[in-house]
Amino acid sequence: PDNTCLFQKKDNCCQFDGECEDGNPCTTDACIGSVCMSELAQGSGCCVADADCDDGDSCTTESCQNNQCQYKVDTGANCCKPASLLDAAFDDATTQGFTVITDGSEAKWSVQGKRFFSPGFSFYYGIPGDWTYKTDNGNSGTAISPQLTVPLVADKVTLSFHTYMDIAQQQFLDPFQVQVLSGNQLKTVWTKNQAGNGSMNNWINVSVDLSDYKGKVIQLYWTMNASNVPFGNQNGEGVYVDDVVVSTTCEGGGDDVIGSED
Protein backbone atom coordinates (compact mmCIF):
# COMPACT_ATOMS: atom_id res chain seq x y z
CA PRO A 1 0.00 0.00 0.00
CA ASP A 2 1.07 3.61 -0.56
CA ASN A 3 3.81 2.38 -2.91
CA THR A 4 5.85 1.21 0.15
CA CYS A 5 7.81 -2.03 0.17
CA LEU A 6 7.07 -4.33 3.11
CA PHE A 7 9.43 -7.09 4.20
CA GLN A 8 8.88 -10.05 6.49
CA LYS A 9 11.82 -12.15 7.65
CA LYS A 10 11.46 -15.82 6.79
CA ASP A 11 12.01 -18.41 9.46
CA ASN A 12 15.49 -19.96 9.67
CA CYS A 13 17.13 -17.12 7.74
CA CYS A 14 20.17 -15.32 9.13
CA GLN A 15 23.05 -12.94 8.59
CA PHE A 16 25.55 -14.25 11.12
CA ASP A 17 26.16 -17.43 13.17
CA GLY A 18 24.94 -15.96 16.47
CA GLU A 19 21.38 -15.75 15.16
CA CYS A 20 21.32 -19.54 14.80
CA GLU A 21 22.31 -20.52 18.33
CA ASP A 22 19.65 -22.90 19.66
CA GLY A 23 21.04 -23.35 23.17
CA ASN A 24 21.61 -27.07 22.65
CA PRO A 25 25.18 -28.10 23.58
CA CYS A 26 24.85 -31.12 21.30
CA THR A 27 24.45 -29.11 18.10
CA THR A 28 26.86 -26.91 16.17
CA ASP A 29 24.94 -23.99 14.66
CA ALA A 30 26.06 -21.76 11.79
CA CYS A 31 24.68 -19.33 9.22
CA ILE A 32 25.45 -20.75 5.78
CA GLY A 33 24.15 -19.01 2.68
CA SER A 34 21.83 -16.87 4.85
CA VAL A 35 20.19 -20.04 6.22
CA CYS A 36 20.65 -21.47 9.73
CA MET A 37 22.17 -24.93 9.63
CA SER A 38 22.68 -27.28 12.59
CA GLU A 39 24.85 -30.36 12.86
CA LEU A 40 25.11 -32.87 15.67
CA ALA A 41 28.18 -32.11 17.78
CA GLN A 42 30.63 -34.90 18.37
CA GLY A 43 31.06 -35.65 22.04
CA SER A 44 30.06 -37.82 24.93
CA GLY A 45 26.49 -37.32 26.06
CA CYS A 46 25.20 -36.38 22.60
CA CYS A 47 22.97 -38.70 20.62
CA VAL A 48 20.55 -39.34 17.77
CA ALA A 49 18.77 -42.38 19.18
CA ASP A 50 18.31 -44.00 22.60
CA ALA A 51 20.85 -46.68 21.70
CA ASP A 52 23.59 -44.01 21.50
CA CYS A 53 23.24 -43.49 25.26
CA ASP A 54 23.65 -47.11 26.36
CA ASP A 55 26.02 -47.13 29.36
CA GLY A 56 25.89 -50.87 29.95
CA ASP A 57 24.39 -50.36 33.42
CA SER A 58 21.28 -52.41 34.16
CA CYS A 59 20.33 -49.89 36.85
CA THR A 60 19.85 -47.00 34.43
CA THR A 61 17.28 -46.44 31.69
CA GLU A 62 18.69 -44.36 28.85
CA SER A 63 16.87 -42.06 26.44
CA CYS A 64 17.85 -39.50 23.82
CA GLN A 65 16.01 -36.21 24.23
CA ASN A 66 16.78 -33.20 22.07
CA ASN A 67 20.05 -34.86 21.04
CA GLN A 68 21.13 -35.14 24.69
CA CYS A 69 21.39 -38.36 26.70
CA GLN A 70 19.14 -38.58 29.74
CA TYR A 71 19.41 -41.29 32.40
CA LYS A 72 16.73 -42.53 34.75
CA VAL A 73 18.60 -43.99 37.71
CA ASP A 74 17.34 -46.66 40.07
CA THR A 75 18.79 -45.96 43.52
CA GLY A 76 16.91 -48.81 45.16
CA ALA A 77 18.50 -51.56 47.23
CA ASN A 78 18.92 -53.87 44.23
CA CYS A 79 21.10 -51.34 42.41
CA CYS A 80 22.70 -48.89 44.83
CA LYS A 81 25.54 -50.36 46.87
CA PRO A 82 27.19 -48.33 49.66
CA ALA A 83 30.83 -47.69 48.81
CA SER A 84 33.94 -45.96 50.12
CA LEU A 85 35.57 -43.99 47.31
CA LEU A 86 38.37 -42.54 49.44
CA ASP A 87 39.64 -43.34 52.93
CA ALA A 88 42.82 -41.46 53.81
CA ALA A 89 43.88 -41.43 57.46
CA PHE A 90 47.60 -40.87 56.69
CA ASP A 91 48.44 -43.34 59.45
CA ASP A 92 51.14 -45.02 57.37
CA ALA A 93 52.99 -41.67 57.19
CA THR A 94 52.40 -41.36 53.43
CA THR A 95 50.30 -38.89 51.43
CA GLN A 96 47.84 -41.67 50.51
CA GLY A 97 48.03 -40.74 46.83
CA PHE A 98 47.51 -36.99 47.34
CA THR A 99 49.54 -34.68 45.11
CA VAL A 100 51.15 -31.64 46.75
CA ILE A 101 51.50 -28.34 44.91
CA THR A 102 53.79 -25.76 46.53
CA ASP A 103 54.81 -22.21 45.68
CA GLY A 104 58.41 -22.94 46.69
CA SER A 105 58.22 -21.49 50.19
CA GLU A 106 59.02 -23.42 53.35
CA ALA A 107 55.33 -23.72 54.22
CA LYS A 108 53.69 -26.63 52.41
CA TRP A 109 51.48 -29.71 52.77
CA SER A 110 53.23 -32.74 54.28
CA VAL A 111 52.40 -35.75 56.46
CA GLN A 112 53.42 -35.09 60.07
CA GLY A 113 52.85 -36.53 63.56
CA LYS A 114 52.68 -33.24 65.48
CA ARG A 115 48.87 -33.43 65.77
CA PHE A 116 46.35 -35.98 64.55
CA PHE A 117 42.73 -36.97 65.08
CA SER A 118 43.40 -40.68 64.70
CA PRO A 119 46.91 -41.92 65.56
CA GLY A 120 49.47 -41.26 64.54
CA PHE A 121 49.75 -38.83 61.53
CA SER A 122 47.79 -36.17 59.68
CA PHE A 123 48.21 -33.92 56.64
CA TYR A 124 49.77 -30.64 57.82
CA TYR A 125 50.11 -27.24 56.13
CA GLY A 126 52.94 -25.20 57.57
CA ILE A 127 56.68 -25.40 58.19
CA PRO A 128 57.59 -28.78 59.74
CA GLY A 129 59.82 -28.44 62.80
CA ASP A 130 59.09 -24.72 63.17
CA TRP A 131 55.34 -25.43 63.47
CA THR A 132 54.26 -22.11 62.02
CA TYR A 133 52.71 -21.24 58.67
CA LYS A 134 53.91 -17.65 58.36
CA THR A 135 56.62 -16.58 55.90
CA ASP A 136 57.89 -13.10 55.02
CA ASN A 137 56.17 -12.95 51.63
CA GLY A 138 53.07 -15.01 52.32
CA ASN A 139 52.63 -18.48 50.86
CA SER A 140 50.14 -20.90 49.35
CA GLY A 141 49.83 -24.61 48.73
CA THR A 142 47.34 -27.23 47.59
CA ALA A 143 46.85 -30.92 48.36
CA ILE A 144 44.99 -32.77 45.58
CA SER A 145 43.28 -36.12 46.07
CA PRO A 146 43.52 -38.99 43.58
CA GLN A 147 40.80 -39.08 40.91
CA LEU A 148 37.51 -40.45 42.19
CA THR A 149 34.82 -41.97 39.97
CA VAL A 150 31.51 -41.21 41.67
CA PRO A 151 28.85 -43.86 40.94
CA LEU A 152 25.86 -42.70 38.97
CA VAL A 153 23.74 -45.18 40.88
CA ALA A 154 23.94 -43.75 44.41
CA ASP A 155 21.52 -42.03 46.71
CA LYS A 156 23.94 -39.67 48.45
CA VAL A 157 27.65 -38.88 48.19
CA THR A 158 29.41 -37.35 51.21
CA LEU A 159 32.88 -35.96 51.87
CA SER A 160 33.91 -35.93 55.54
CA PHE A 161 37.17 -35.00 57.23
CA HIS A 162 38.55 -33.66 60.49
CA THR A 163 40.56 -30.46 60.59
CA TYR A 164 42.48 -28.52 63.22
CA MET A 165 43.01 -24.86 62.30
CA ASP A 166 45.46 -22.57 64.09
CA ILE A 167 45.29 -19.69 61.62
CA ALA A 168 43.75 -16.21 61.48
CA GLN A 169 40.03 -16.46 62.15
CA GLN A 170 39.16 -13.26 60.27
CA GLN A 171 37.12 -14.04 57.16
CA PHE A 172 39.40 -12.13 54.79
CA LEU A 173 42.71 -13.50 56.14
CA ASP A 174 44.43 -16.82 55.44
CA PRO A 175 41.67 -18.41 53.32
CA PHE A 176 41.49 -22.18 53.71
CA GLN A 177 39.06 -24.03 51.46
CA VAL A 178 38.08 -27.28 49.80
CA GLN A 179 37.28 -27.36 46.08
CA VAL A 180 36.06 -29.99 43.65
CA LEU A 181 37.49 -30.32 40.15
CA SER A 182 35.04 -31.87 37.67
CA GLY A 183 35.96 -31.66 34.01
CA ASN A 184 37.51 -28.20 33.69
CA GLN A 185 35.40 -26.61 36.43
CA LEU A 186 36.84 -25.98 39.90
CA LYS A 187 34.14 -25.21 42.48
CA THR A 188 34.54 -24.26 46.13
CA VAL A 189 32.40 -26.53 48.35
CA TRP A 190 33.68 -25.54 51.82
CA THR A 191 35.65 -22.70 53.43
CA LYS A 192 36.97 -22.10 56.94
CA ASN A 193 34.31 -19.40 57.36
CA GLN A 194 31.60 -22.07 57.36
CA ALA A 195 33.09 -23.64 60.50
CA GLY A 196 31.91 -20.76 62.71
CA ASN A 197 33.23 -19.33 65.95
CA GLY A 198 35.06 -21.70 68.25
CA SER A 199 36.44 -23.77 65.39
CA MET A 200 40.02 -22.61 65.87
CA ASN A 201 42.47 -24.71 67.93
CA ASN A 202 40.01 -27.60 68.10
CA TRP A 203 39.51 -30.68 65.98
CA ILE A 204 36.22 -30.26 64.11
CA ASN A 205 34.35 -32.61 61.82
CA VAL A 206 33.42 -31.30 58.38
CA SER A 207 30.76 -32.91 56.18
CA VAL A 208 30.07 -31.83 52.59
CA ASP A 209 27.33 -33.17 50.31
CA LEU A 210 28.83 -34.12 46.93
CA SER A 211 25.68 -35.69 45.48
CA ASP A 212 25.72 -33.21 42.58
CA TYR A 213 28.78 -35.09 41.27
CA LYS A 214 27.10 -38.47 40.77
CA GLY A 215 28.32 -40.00 37.53
CA LYS A 216 31.37 -37.70 37.41
CA VAL A 217 35.12 -38.10 37.79
CA ILE A 218 36.35 -35.64 40.40
CA GLN A 219 39.37 -34.56 42.42
CA LEU A 220 39.35 -32.77 45.77
CA TYR A 221 41.57 -29.75 46.46
CA TRP A 222 42.57 -28.55 49.95
CA THR A 223 44.05 -25.07 49.44
CA MET A 224 45.68 -22.76 51.97
CA ASN A 225 46.77 -19.16 51.29
CA ALA A 226 48.70 -17.42 54.06
CA SER A 227 48.37 -13.64 54.00
CA ASN A 228 51.39 -11.40 54.40
CA VAL A 229 49.96 -8.81 56.80
CA PRO A 230 51.23 -7.33 60.10
CA PHE A 231 48.25 -8.70 62.04
CA GLY A 232 46.21 -11.87 62.27
CA ASN A 233 47.60 -15.04 63.84
CA GLN A 234 51.35 -14.49 63.54
CA ASN A 235 52.28 -17.43 65.76
CA GLY A 236 49.73 -19.96 64.53
CA GLU A 237 50.79 -23.52 63.70
CA GLY A 238 48.82 -23.82 60.47
CA VAL A 239 46.24 -26.41 59.38
CA TYR A 240 45.93 -30.16 59.98
CA VAL A 241 43.61 -32.49 58.03
CA ASP A 242 42.87 -36.08 59.03
CA ASP A 243 40.53 -38.99 58.24
CA VAL A 244 39.42 -37.91 54.76
CA VAL A 245 36.52 -40.09 53.59
CA VAL A 246 34.30 -39.96 50.51
CA SER A 247 31.44 -42.44 50.73
CA THR A 248 28.14 -43.24 49.06
CA THR A 249 24.94 -44.30 50.80
CA CYS A 250 21.65 -45.81 49.68
CA GLU A 251 19.19 -44.24 52.04
CA GLY A 252 16.25 -43.35 49.86
CA GLY A 253 15.65 -45.70 46.95
CA GLY A 254 13.46 -44.82 43.96
CA ASP A 255 14.24 -43.30 40.58
CA ASP A 256 16.15 -40.11 39.81
CA VAL A 257 16.41 -38.53 36.38
CA ILE A 258 19.66 -36.78 35.52
CA GLY A 259 21.45 -35.58 32.41
CA SER A 260 24.54 -36.88 30.68
CA GLU A 261 26.94 -38.94 32.75
CA ASP A 262 29.96 -37.04 31.43
Side-chain angles (χ1 to χ4, degrees):
D2 300 327
N3 298 319
T4 301
C5 293
L6 299 178
F7 302 93
Q8 183 175 1
K9 184 178 178 180
K10 294 183 178 180
D11 292 340
N12 209 41
C13 292
C14 57
Q15 293 180 305
F16 51 89
D17 291 347
E19 294 181 283
C20 303
E21 176 59 51
D22 61 5
N24 188 337
C26 285
T27 60
T28 300
D29 312 301
C31 182
I32 301 175
S34 299
V35 178
C36 285
M37 306 292 289
S38 294
E39 293 185 358
L40 182 65
Q42 299 299 316
S44 181
C46 298
C47 56
V48 175
D50 292 349
D52 297 333
C53 303
D54 186 6
D55 61 358
D57 191 333
S58 61
C59 288
T60 60
T61 302
E62 307 86 11
S63 63
C64 182
Q65 301 178 25
N66 196 27
N67 296 121
Q68 299 176 66
C69 290
Q70 301 290 321
Y71 298 86
K72 186 176 182 180
V73 182
D74 181 1
T75 58
N78 292 331
C79 287
C80 179
K81 305 297 182 185
S84 178
L85 308 182
L86 177 65
D87 189 352
F90 311 107
D91 294 340
D92 60 357
T94 74
T95 63
Q96 300 278 283
F98 278 70
T99 299
V100 171
I101 295 178
T102 175
D103 64 358
S105 66
E106 293 180 284
K108 59 185 177 181
W109 287 100
S110 62
V111 178
Q112 300 293 331
K114 169 74 171 178
R115 295 185 187 275
F116 44 80
F117 187 81
S118 63
F121 297 90
S122 67
F123 225 174
Y124 167 66
Y125 185 83
I127 304 174
D130 289 346
W131 310 117
T132 180
Y133 69 103
K134 289 294 184 179
T135 56
D136 290 341
N137 298 316
N139 55 77
S140 64
T142 303
I144 306 174
S145 77
Q147 284 191 338
L148 309 175
T149 301
V150 184
L152 182 64
V153 181
D155 184 66
K156 188 174 182 180
V157 185
T158 304
L159 160 68
S160 65
F161 62 95
H162 288 88
T163 185
Y164 183 105
M165 298 179 289
D166 187 9
I167 56 179
Q169 189 163 351
Q170 295 94 326
Q171 180 174 348
F172 58 92
L173 290 179
D174 301 337
F176 171 49
Q177 62 188 1
V178 180
Q179 297 170 293
V180 176
L181 177 67
S182 177
N184 58 4
Q185 183 178 15
L186 189 63
K187 180 180 179 180
T188 299
V189 295
W190 182 85
T191 72
K192 72 168 186 179
N193 305 319
Q194 294 173 244
N197 294 331
S199 62
M200 296 296 164
N201 303 99
N202 292 294
W203 281 101
I204 63 170
N205 184 34
V206 176
S207 181
V208 181
D209 187 356
L210 299 183
S211 299
D212 287 345
Y213 295 96
K214 290 188 288 187
K216 308 292 185 180
V217 176
I218 64 173
Q219 286 181 285
L220 306 175
Y221 284 52
W222 276 260
T223 299
M224 175 67 189
N225 287 278
S227 309
N228 180 23
V229 293
F231 52 90
N233 190 359
Q234 294 297 316
N235 297 315
E237 287 184 24
V239 171
Y240 300 84
V241 173
D242 205 357
D243 297 341
V244 179
V245 175
V246 179
S247 60
T248 67
T249 56
C250 306
E251 299 171 357
D255 291 338
D256 295 326
V257 177
I258 65 173
S260 169
E261 293 182 86
D262 298 299

